[in-house]
């Protein structure tokens, strides 16, 4: 329940940097994770939930990334907003599936391997609790870029 979540002003830059550094150690499929985090960006939020949001997005990028591929996590200010982006150069998501990937348990039926189909619906829900918007740019065969836009604190 949203009222039981402790929201406070937090250093989103430090959180994103920390999660990125931890997840970079995974090196699944020899994928390289790079972080481009603008320092000093604060948002109102729950550190555990925002950590999970970022972890889910990066985890997906690894899962659907290609061998020796790249993941780029970036966070930057844009006017009064903080824009988080997790991009990969993996298999991408076909146009017709993009609208549905945030639904609970929805999985594109292909050779992507296991998963519960909960990761992106959880990302969407955590973003909603934070008043943030999630968007996606993807091309099948070229990779995906997920954006989460927050109001800065």
């Amino acid at each position: 329940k949203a009222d039981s979540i402790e929201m406070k002003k937090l250093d989103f830059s430090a959180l994103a940097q920390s999660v990125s550094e931890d997840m970079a150690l995974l090196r699944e499929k020899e994928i390289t994770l790079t972080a481009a985090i603008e320092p000093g960006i604060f948002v109102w939020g729950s550190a555990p939930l925002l950590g999970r949001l970022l972890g889910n997005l990066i985890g997906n990028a690894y899962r659907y990334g290609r061998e020796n591929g790249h993941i780029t996590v970036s966070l930057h200010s844009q006017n009064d907003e903080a824009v988080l982006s997790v991009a990969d150069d993996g298999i991408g998501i076909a146009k017709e599936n993009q609208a549905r990937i945030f639904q609970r348990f929805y999985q594109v039926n292909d050779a992507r391997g296991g998963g519960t189909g909960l990761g992106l619906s959880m990302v969407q829900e955590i973003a909603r609790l934070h008043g943030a918007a999630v968007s996606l740019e993807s091309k099948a065969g070229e990779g995906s870029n997920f954006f989460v836009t927050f109001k800065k604190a």
Side-chain angles (χ1 to χ4, degrees):
K1 291 202 328 243
D3 55 9
S4 63
I5 295 167
E6 191 191 341
M7 297 282 208
K8 56 182 187 228
K9 184 175 177 177
L10 63 94
D11 186 338
F12 196 29
S13 298
L15 179 71
Q17 188 70 46
S18 168
V19 172
S20 296
E21 286 170 9
D22 289 351
M23 302 278 300
L25 301 173
L26 289 175
R27 289 203 58 96
E28 278 173 43
K29 296 190 242 180
E30 294 305 308
I31 292 172
T32 306
L33 188 151
T34 311
I37 311 290
E38 183 183 312
I41 295 177
F42 287 82
V43 299
W44 285 98
S46 155
L49 287 179
L50 291 177
R52 178 172 296 169
L53 173 141
L54 201 47
N56 282 1
L57 287 174
I58 295 170
N60 262 5
Y62 273 115
R63 185 177 300 134
Y64 305 129
R66 58 181 171 82
E67 290 284 332
N68 302 304
H70 300 89
I71 298 169
T72 305
V73 178
S74 70
L75 177 66
H76 68 273
S77 289
Q78 199 170 293
N79 305 319
D80 61 343
E81 294 177 329
V83 181
L84 172 71
S85 149
V86 178
D88 66 66
D89 51 8
I91 62 173
I93 301 159
K95 258 286 180 251
E96 63 271 16
N97 294 321
Q98 290 183 15
R100 294 190 303 231
I101 60 166
F102 293 103
Q103 294 170 7
R104 284 177 73 172
F105 306 116
Y106 179 78
Q107 288 184 286
V108 177
N109 193 3
D110 60 18
R112 287 181 162 208
T116 59
L118 283 174
L120 290 175
S121 67
M122 192 177 290
V123 163
Q124 181 107 5
E125 187 60 21
I126 292 169
R128 194 184 62 75
L129 287 171
H130 288 80
V134 181
S135 59
L136 163 68
E137 286 173 11
S138 185
K139 277 202 178 112
E142 292 179 27
S144 301
N145 194 349
F146 286 89
F147 297 93
V148 189
T149 307
F150 297 83
K151 282 269 179 257
K152 287 194 299 200

